[in-house]
Amino acid sequence: MPTAMEIYKLLPKTNCGECKLPTCLAFAMQLANQKVSLDACPHVSPEAKAALEESGSPPIKSVSFGSGEFVVEIGDETQLFRHDKTFYHPTVLGLIADDAEGLEGMKAKMDAARAAEFERVGQIMRVNSVALRHSTGNPDEFVEAVKAAAAKDRPVVIMCEDASVAAKAVESCADKRPLLYRATPANLDQMVELAKGRSLPLVLGGASSLDELSQMADKAKKAGLADIVLEPAAGSSAETLENLTAIRRAAVKNRFRPFGYPTMMVLGSSEADRTRAALGVMKYSSVVLMEELPREFLYPLLALRQNIFTDPQVPIQVKAGLYAVGEPDEKSPVLFTTNFSLTYFTVRADIQKSKLPAWLLVVDTEGQSVMTAFAAGKLTPESVAKVIEDEKLKEKNVRGEIIIPGMVSRMSGKLNELTGLKVTVGPRESSGLPKMMKSLSG
Amino acid sequence: MGFELPKEKYGGRIKEVVIGATKEQGGTRSRSIVAGGSNGLAFHKFESESPNGPVVVMDVVDTVRMVPERLLESMGSALNDPVEWAKKCETEWGADACVLKLQSANPEEEDRPAEELAATTKKVLESVGLPLLVYGCGFEEKDAKVIEAVSNAAKGERLFLGLAEEKAYKSIAAASMANGHGVVAFSNLDINLAKQMNILLLDFGMKPENIIMDPLMAALGMGLDYSYSNIERLRLGALSGDPMLQMPMICDCSCAWDVPEAVEENPEHGEAELRGIHWEMLTAYAAAVAGADMVIMRHPKSVKLFRDAIADISGGV
Ligand code: B12
Ligand code: SF4
């Protein structure tokens, strides 16, 4: 939002009072604090209005594609470094199906993309999108594939630089809001027309320089296209880093409007491409499309994306309380851990591996791991005793025992004193739990 | 008007630190290596210079208790002997340096005596020409003895000794100063603690060119997000001109092999060792992109992938 002074300069300065405020300056101050709406002044000029809307809008436009449950939102970032606040919209990862592979080949790729979904620390991580690319294949088959992909749930990217084929593909699924790829300096006008006609987001790429890319964006915007995605040249990681950094800085620091859009990278299937995908996740690429995503690489890449896009101020956490693992009864063992998601899900999975039912008591440590919380004084015998009390553990369970993480063996004595429960020190790593629990029951 | 790339110029520069000493420099290493020296964000070649790319230090652990079974099989029996392991790093795996982790000093496990570990260090030095870092086992009292013995046994070699922690740095710093070695200053994911550690060491009498800092690299999926941002902040602090943050940073990425998800059998996530290789590679790559001047790695295949990635992002041609 602009400051009161910036707004004041754009007002008529007649102090006519029709906005129900005594002066234009008073109005400007209220507007800067978002207490009034610009519409309250009937005299503001259209140019001033446009300028104010522009400067009040976010540095990078939010763009969405796809529809329904799996719709993705990209852009709307405000930072160069995640520690300054956070990165908001995780890089959208998509798998490319090329029509050189034929219809069946493309369908197999679509299925592979949809199957690539994992749960990690309580969140779903997935390949978000399917990209259909028209290269050397039959255009009809390509359109057919786009239609088939759009009929399913994942957002679709239509990759085709031939405007007439692209138009047919768009025709088959415009209501599913596909992302259209791409306008180049050679076909800019036709592609912009096509995207605009259907209000679809369009990728601009193929420019020989960032300057040219910015001119394309400017032109597309003036032609009335609202949703733009920028694809700068990305021959090597060095070039990728330079271009994506330039775009992000220009948008966020200099408010350079032609670059106030999300970005994108299209990669192949080599080892180098995998590295570039990781770079894109860390350094400002809103969409990364790849030809291949072997599982051994995909899972760590998704974990990297999850890490980079976690809000630095708020660790991923679960609610404190008493959780059942399996179907425990009043005699089943009770264990405690912290409410940091990573800790909770790791421990829970290890208990499940024992195939024995148990109660897992989750202590609120503000989302910190066992050792971090212990070192910071957020996991104490007192805090554990309090949850035991609050959850009425002794009424629900008659075993009279609690298993504690091996790393906090030092709290055993005090915890026993406070609760009267027998305190059993478990292994340091929860991976040792199956063995321990089997010996308890056996 | 034409789009102009918005460039940043910083006032600060990371200090260059030399690891290892050749004959001319008073040691016996076949070459020494330099870490640091950059005056910009990592790989921002378009606005700054980095005369020395990230240094790859390979792990050599003196007891394989800590090494997953699978790696022992695939990396070969050399892992059973630190001397053989170090040789492999030098001749086959392309390390710039090695870090000898003297885990067998652990008083709760093998509890090997200081003299024996000093002898191991000496043997490694005689068998390879690479510069060496030497870490103790993390038990303060024992490490004081071990590091002192190692320091004496390797006079003039310009080892980097670690890890110097806030509450237990004096013995390591003294051992370094006595024989012309450097120190690795450990701090716990906190920019102020990292700075504090450097100040303590300087106050103790160490020279800045003898310090590298380890700000704790948490592996991918195990808090990498915290480390990534901490490293970025440290780097920005150094570039904005704080001399207490201008020591090169080292990140131990071999911790990736301790992450259960990275190595467990789980066909849904692909073949385990290859997944582990990517896990370590991505941990190291994230460290380097955030600003690490040195990385510690274990698997030769991760090192290979990392080297290729660095070549691609350094834009050789
Ligand atoms: C990421 C991290 C942080 C993050 C926080 C992450 C978070 N949300 O908790 C940040 C940067 C904030 C942080 C801060 C600090 N940290 Co910290 N941190 C780490 C790090 C790198 C990873 C922790 C982690 O996520 N582990 C993964 C989870 C899953 O582990 P876990 O919770 O312990 O669970 C395991 C076991 O405990 C066990 N387990 C868990 N529950 C149960 C239950 C039962 C019944 C059983 C049997 C087992 C079991 O199994 C789990 C899987 O193996 C570790 C070092 C490391 N590599 O481990 C240091 C570490 C934990 N931190 C440490 C310290 C000292 C701190 C600080 C006090 C530093 C400081 N002076 O500022 C601060 C405290 C924060 C504060 N003041 O509020 C020390 C603790 C030292 C000690 N021995 O006491 C560590 C070990 C680093 C070190 N080597 O010095 N930290
Ligand atoms: S209505 Fe508009 S012109 Fe009149 S005082 Fe309010 S701001 Fe000024």
Side-chain angles (χ1 to χ4, degrees), chain A residues 81-83 118 120 211 236-238 241-242 249 253 256 271 275-276 278 295-296 299 304 307 315 342, chain B residues 2-3 5-6 8 43 46-47 220-221 224-226 229 233 261 268-269 271 278 285 305 309 312-313:
Chain A
F81 301 102
R82 61 188 289 283
H83 61 253
F118 312 94
R120 182 168 191 281
D211 185 35
S236 65
S237 296
L241 178 66
E242 174 173 342
R249 275 189 194 161
K253 288 187 72 183
F256 180 66
E271 282 291 357
T275 315
R276 291 172 193 161
R295 283 174 185 244
E296 289 85 357
Y299 187 74
L304 178 68
N307 279 180
L342 179 62
Chain B
F3 173 73
L5 205 154
E8 297 281 354
F43 310 111
F46 50 90
E47 61 186 12
L220 176 59
L224 177 136
D225 37 341
Y226 295 95
S229 285
R233 293 182 63 200
E261 300 171 273
E268 257 199 70
H269 302 169
E271 193 269 314
H278 283 127
Y285 190 51
L305 290 176
D312 191 41
I313 197 172

Side-chain angles (χ1 to χ4, degrees), chain A residues 336-337 343 347 367-372 428-430, chain B residues 188 226:
Chain A
F336 89 75
T337 192
T343 303
V347 174
Q368 290 192 347
S369 76
V370 171
M371 284 312 284
T372 309
R428 293 174 64 83
E429 306 279 336
S430 55
Chain B
N188 205 312
Y226 295 95

Side-chain angles (χ1 to χ4, degrees), chain B:
Chain B
M1 52 170 197
F3 173 73
E4 284 248 2
L5 205 154
K7 291 185 183 169
E8 297 281 354
K9 278 267 166 269
Y10 301 96
R13 183 185 281 273
I14 309 301
K15 285 195 176 65
E16 289 198 332
V17 167
V18 182
I19 299 140
T22 61
K23 213 174 210 161
E24 297 79 59
Q25 295 161 325
T28 64
R29 304 300 78 210
S30 54
R31 57 173 290 216
S32 55
I33 46 165
V34 183
S38 173
N39 66 347
L41 292 173
F43 310 111
H44 284 44
K45 258 188 43 157
F46 50 90
E47 61 186 12
S48 60
E49 53 183 37
S50 294
N52 311 293
V55 172
V56 177
V57 182
M58 283 186 80
D59 236 8
V60 175
V61 191
D62 77 335
T63 163
V64 292
R65 194 165 36 78
M66 320 283 287
V67 180
E69 289 280 322
R70 197 192 329 269
L71 293 193
L72 288 183
E73 277 166 37
S74 84
M75 288 168 67
S77 58
L79 267 53
N80 289 310
D81 173 6
V83 173
E84 292 307 313
W85 189 339
K87 277 191 196 160
K88 281 262 190 192
C89 294
E90 172 158 51
T91 56
E92 287 179 36
W93 297 339
D96 295 319
C98 282
V99 54
L100 179 59
K101 294 177 176 167
L102 298 172
Q103 294 283 354
S104 72
N106 187 332
E108 290 174 4
E109 308 272 351
E110 289 98 322
D111 197 16
R112 295 220 184 109
E115 302 72 51
E116 189 184 330
L117 299 170
T120 306
T121 309
K122 201 144 179 71
K123 253 171 70 194
V124 172
L125 284 167
E126 282 160 8
S127 314
V128 300
L130 291 176
L132 207 61
L133 289 74
V134 183
Y135 289 1
C137 63
F139 285 77
E140 186 186 336
E141 280 171 32
K142 182 69 184 285
D143 280 352
K145 293 186 203 134
V146 171
I147 296 297
E148 190 189 343
V150 166
S151 164
N152 290 335
K155 194 169 173 53
E157 294 283 10
R158 233 183 130 62
L159 305 177
F160 271 74
L161 303 170
L163 291 167
E165 300 195 38
E166 194 186 354
K167 294 194 187 76
Y169 66 91
K170 288 187 181 153
S171 55
I172 293 187
S176 305
M177 286 158 69
N179 295 301
H181 303 302
V183 147
V184 181
F186 176 80
S187 58
N188 205 312
L189 277 173
D190 183 298
I191 183 167
N192 296 318
L193 291 180
K195 182 168 172 165
Q196 170 72 5
M197 227 13 262
N198 290 338
I199 293 174
L200 287 173
L201 288 169
L202 294 177
D203 285 352
F204 191 73
M206 288 208 61
K207 297 217 174 70
E209 61 269 26
N210 294 338
I211 302 173
I212 51 189
M213 52 180 172
D214 175 347
L216 199 168
M217 185 67 203
L220 176 59
M222 292 290 268
L224 177 136
D225 37 341
Y226 295 95
S227 294
Y228 183 86
S229 285
N230 187 45
I231 298 166
E232 276 192 331
R233 293 182 63 200
L234 281 162
R235 172 53 70 104
L236 285 165
L239 293 177
S240 72
D242 187 340
M244 291 305 150
L245 295 176
Q246 286 170 349
M247 291 69 176
M249 268 184 278
I250 185 165
C251 289
D252 191 343
C253 305
S254 66
C255 57
W257 294 101
D258 298 330
V259 180
E261 300 171 273
V263 292
E264 73 190 359
E265 287 302 337
N266 183 343
E268 257 199 70
H269 302 169
E271 193 269 314
E273 183 172 352
L274 186 52
R275 186 187 336 124
I277 288 167
H278 283 127
W279 211 275
E280 182 177 32
M281 144 66 190
L282 285 178
T283 301
Y285 190 51
V289 167
D293 302 281
M294 306 173 72
V295 292
I296 297 177
M297 299 180 74
R298 180 174 298 164
H299 202 295
K301 290 190 178 149
S302 321
V303 169
K304 168 82 173 59
L305 290 176
F306 179 77
R307 294 264 194 216
D308 291 346
I310 296 307
D312 191 41
I313 197 172
S314 303
V317 273

Side-chain angles (χ1 to χ4, degrees), chain A residues 189-207:
Chain A
D189 296 339
Q190 297 104 295
M191 284 303 217
V192 167
E193 270 320 298
L194 178 61
K196 207 178 79 179
R198 298 288 192 169
S199 307
L200 295 180
L202 172 68
V203 181
L204 309 182

Side-chain angles (χ1 to χ4, degrees), chain A residues 11-19 21-24 27 40-44:
Chain A
L11 293 174
K13 305 193 192 72
T14 52
N15 303 333
C16 74
E18 280 175 55
C19 58
L21 285 160
T23 61
C24 291
F27 180 75
C41 168
H43 303 296
V44 61

